[in-house]
Amino acid sequence: MFTFTVDVIGEEQMARAFSRFGEAVSDYSPVFRELADDFLKVERDQFVSEGRSGSGGWEPLSTGYADWKAAHFPGRPLLVQSGELRRSLTERGGEHIEEIHKDSLRLGTEVPYAIYHQTGTGRMPARKLVELSEADKTRWQKRIQAFLVAEA
């Protein structure tokens, strides 16, 4: 049996078990590469929609911080100040994490402050950078199933 789990900082967002054909496959890296490509698209959608594509929308900035950001970074959307965080989740290179192995896949960002946006703090609400929608989960599940059938 093959189990595919998406865990974001200790929060399980997806867990699917694939019993049919899974035992015969020893290298999942081809399908993991496809999921890594799709992850970049999912994250681009998350940033463009300001969280609506995965989590229903990010909370607006506090009035004080919104005023400061408008003065120092005019026109920049939520969670984009320098652009480093967005780039690290939507483009390969830089601070982007993409580790593909035969039996595991790790995606994300090395930007140190990303965790505070994902989980929130005592002074800032969580604005989930990585949050798979049900459509994303279904698409990934179907892609894995198709891969397993093709490999069988």
Side-chain angles (χ1 to χ4, degrees):
M1 177 177 300
F2 170 69
T3 302
F4 182 77
T5 305
V6 176
D7 181 86
V8 181
I9 310 170
E11 176 191 344
E12 186 176 278
Q13 289 195 15
M14 177 181 176
R16 302 289 191 275
F18 300 89
S19 58
R20 190 171 172 203
F21 309 120
E23 307 83 33
V25 177
S26 61
D27 184 0
Y28 291 87
S29 62
V31 72
F32 288 163
R33 278 190 279 285
E34 291 179 30
L35 298 182
D37 289 341
D38 194 63
F39 176 79
L40 296 172
K41 179 191 174 305
V42 166
E43 287 304 297
R44 283 190 294 272
D45 291 346
Q46 184 74 332
F47 273 90
V48 167
S49 71
E50 295 188 338
R52 287 183 296 282
S53 72
S55 57
W58 295 327
E59 285 193 42
L61 300 176
S62 67
T63 304
Y65 185 71
D67 292 344
W68 178 88
K69 186 175 178 183
H72 292 87
F73 299 94
R76 300 271 172 96
L78 278 172
L79 299 186
V80 178
Q81 192 174 92
S82 69
E84 175 185 40
L85 178 61
R86 177 176 58 188
R87 271 190 306 279
S88 74
L89 288 165
T90 62
E91 301 173 15
R92 289 183 170 95
E95 300 293 311
H96 177 70
I97 295 172
E98 184 172 306
E99 297 173 6
I100 299 172
H101 303 283
K102 290 170 31 170
D103 62 353
S104 66
L105 169 65
R106 183 172 175 249
L107 302 168
T109 179
E110 291 180 345
V111 172
Y113 53 86
I115 190 170
Y116 303 116
H117 292 294
Q118 183 74 25
T119 62
T121 68
R123 298 179 56 200
M124 180 179 72
R127 295 181 180 98
K128 294 192 176 198
L129 303 164
V130 179
E131 177 123 16
L132 298 177
S133 68
E134 288 306 314
D136 298 332
K137 294 173 193 178
T138 298
R139 187 174 59 256
W140 287 19
Q141 178 178 342
K142 287 182 178 183
R143 187 58 214 119
I144 293 168
Q145 287 171 332
F147 170 78
L148 292 174
V149 168
E151 289 295 302

